[in-house]
Amino acid sequence: MKGVILDADSLGLGDVDLEPITGLPLSWDIYGTSQPEEVVERIVDAEVVLTNKASIGKTELSAAPELKYIGVLATGTNVIDLNATEAKGVVVTNVVGYGTASVVQHTWALILALTTKLPDYNVAALDGRWSESPFFCLLDFPVNELSGKTLGVVGYGQLGRKVADIGRAFGMDVQVAELPWRHRSDTDKVGDTGRINDVGRMPFDQLLAKADVISLHCPLTEETRNLIDRKQLAMMKNSALLVNCARGGIVNEQALVEALEDGVIAGAGMDVLTEEPPKNGNPLLNPEIPNLIVTPHSAWVAKESRQRLIVQVGENIKAFLAGNPCNVVRA
């Protein structure tokens, strides 16, 4: 059985072990990256294909008559035409939960850096301002404690719950958004650990007005696209912080720029953009925007996270080969 990996370099192979995948009983062709025009040729006789960001749609599927399985090297499956794979009987799986610790850590790194004015104080320590101070410290930038403040969590899956747990450890009042199109079922009330969630849900608009920090952990869907736009930013406190380690497109980027420049909110941390990499530029990539930290979709990239991803991909393939696929994604 032939397997193809279309963009192995996206896993950062310099410090992780691909053996949980390559050690499986398949004949592998491994490509570091694949341009859109290269995908058809590379999968034409493959039965198993792994991809992270290389897209597979109707054209690619039509050119691969032997294809039986696509393993997505990520949680999001927007690079796959799921209607077309279902029509052809191709099994699609993804990976879940592998990056929780890394993403939660990064989320709180952004919150803490914004709250403590860490980037500003770092610059001030190095550019001579501290050396010239008449006092032992600098008080140039206002720092606020998180204890007693309200953390608003939008999206209360595995990531949202873990972020909330840390918020409670800081002494924050944690509130979870009730999104208007969601109707909670009994299964929605049960967390990943099987315990009943110990929080209620606050109407989304009410949460926007109350929260001192809002952290986004929902998927990008038609309902969540531009979930945070000018109207929503205007509802927030002018002292509030917004953090997005979920998906680009959930926040209207131009609206956020204007909100930061006009002091509508106090700061933002963004790990994701609408186009990645931002080859055509992005309004957020401007060092003059006040109180904004942008990182290059790096929340998930801890070595341990990437190794867990590889192990889970290997387990997904094993399950498929055994005739009992797991983590199957459907249209």
Side-chain angles (χ1 to χ4, degrees):
M1 182 175 285
K2 180 178 178 179
V4 173
I5 306 177
L6 289 172
D7 45 9
D9 287 356
S10 66
L11 301 177
L13 298 183
D15 59 349
V16 292
D17 181 9
L18 205 58
E19 196 277 337
I21 297 173
T22 57
L24 294 172
L26 285 84
S27 174
W28 289 103
D29 287 345
I30 301 175
Y31 301 97
T33 60
S34 293
Q35 297 303 312
E37 63 273 13
E38 297 173 321
V39 172
V40 165
E41 179 183 355
R42 291 177 175 182
I43 71 171
V44 65
D45 57 351
E47 295 170 84
V48 170
V49 171
L50 303 183
T51 180
N52 192 339
K53 302 304 178 189
S55 295
I56 300 177
K58 290 181 180 178
T59 300
E60 290 77 17
L61 289 166
S62 297
E66 302 302 317
L67 186 60
K68 298 179 176 64
Y69 172 88
I70 299 172
V72 182
L73 306 173
T75 302
T77 56
N78 57 297
V79 298
I80 308 298
D81 185 332
L82 293 175
N83 290 315
T85 55
E86 283 196 9
K88 191 176 178 180
V90 175
V91 174
V92 178
T93 69
N94 67 346
V95 284
V96 295
Y98 64 91
T100 299
S102 183
V103 174
V104 170
Q105 178 176 300
H106 195 92
T107 298
W108 279 101
L110 290 173
I111 294 171
L112 292 171
L114 289 163
T115 305
T116 62
K117 303 293 185 181
L118 194 65
D120 296 313
Y121 276 117
N122 176 242
V123 172
L126 299 175
D127 69 4
R129 274 177 284 175
W130 190 20
S131 302
E132 296 168 0
S133 172
F135 307 109
F136 69 94
C137 68
L138 289 179
L139 300 169
D140 293 17
F141 308 102
V143 173
N144 296 298
E145 293 181 351
L146 291 170
S147 180
K149 302 295 194 302
T150 297
L151 170 65
V153 179
V154 181
Y156 203 57
Q158 188 176 83
L159 287 168
R161 291 188 185 96
K162 294 296 185 181
V163 167
D165 287 344
I166 294 175
R168 295 187 191 99
F170 275 111
M172 300 186 76
D173 170 31
V174 175
Q175 299 292 335
V176 177
E178 179 66 72
L179 297 173
W181 59 87
R182 292 288 300 275
H183 298 284
R184 295 178 69 195
S185 63
D186 290 338
T187 55
D188 187 41
K189 298 175 186 176
V190 180
D192 299 282
T193 59
R195 64 180 175 83
I196 300 298
N197 294 338
D198 56 357
V199 297
R201 302 282 177 132
M202 179 176 286
F204 182 52
D205 289 356
Q206 185 179 336
L207 179 137
L208 291 174
K210 179 179 176 62
D212 298 288
V213 179
I214 292 177
S215 191
L216 303 177
H217 301 286
C218 51
L220 178 63
T221 65
E222 287 308 307
E223 291 86 1
T224 62
R225 189 175 300 279
N226 291 327
L227 180 68
I228 305 295
D229 209 330
R230 288 175 179 83
K231 177 183 176 181
Q232 290 73 32
L233 290 162
M235 294 178 184
M236 295 169 61
K237 297 178 180 179
N238 60 14
S239 58
L241 303 175
L242 174 67
V243 173
N244 184 11
C245 287
R247 284 291 181 268
I250 296 173
V251 177
N252 182 316
E253 292 162 340
Q254 184 58 46
L256 178 59
V257 170
E258 295 167 8
L260 291 169
E261 291 178 339
D262 296 341
V264 175
I265 65 171
M270 305 288 288
D271 185 55
V272 288
L273 299 177
T274 49
E275 181 189 32
E276 296 173 345
K279 293 181 179 180
N280 297 302
N282 188 287
L284 293 175
L285 300 180
N286 178 357
E288 301 302 317
I289 300 172
N291 300 320
L292 172 66
I293 300 174
V294 179
T295 52
H297 204 139
S298 56
W300 73 284
V301 303
K303 175 183 177 180
E304 296 87 348
S305 169
R306 288 179 286 119
Q307 192 62 57
R308 280 193 296 270
L309 182 155
I310 290 168
V311 170
Q312 191 176 145
V313 170
E315 293 301 316
N316 284 351
I317 298 171
K318 285 181 185 178
F320 169 75
L321 294 176
N324 188 29
C326 59
N327 291 325
V328 175
V329 181
R330 296 181 174 85

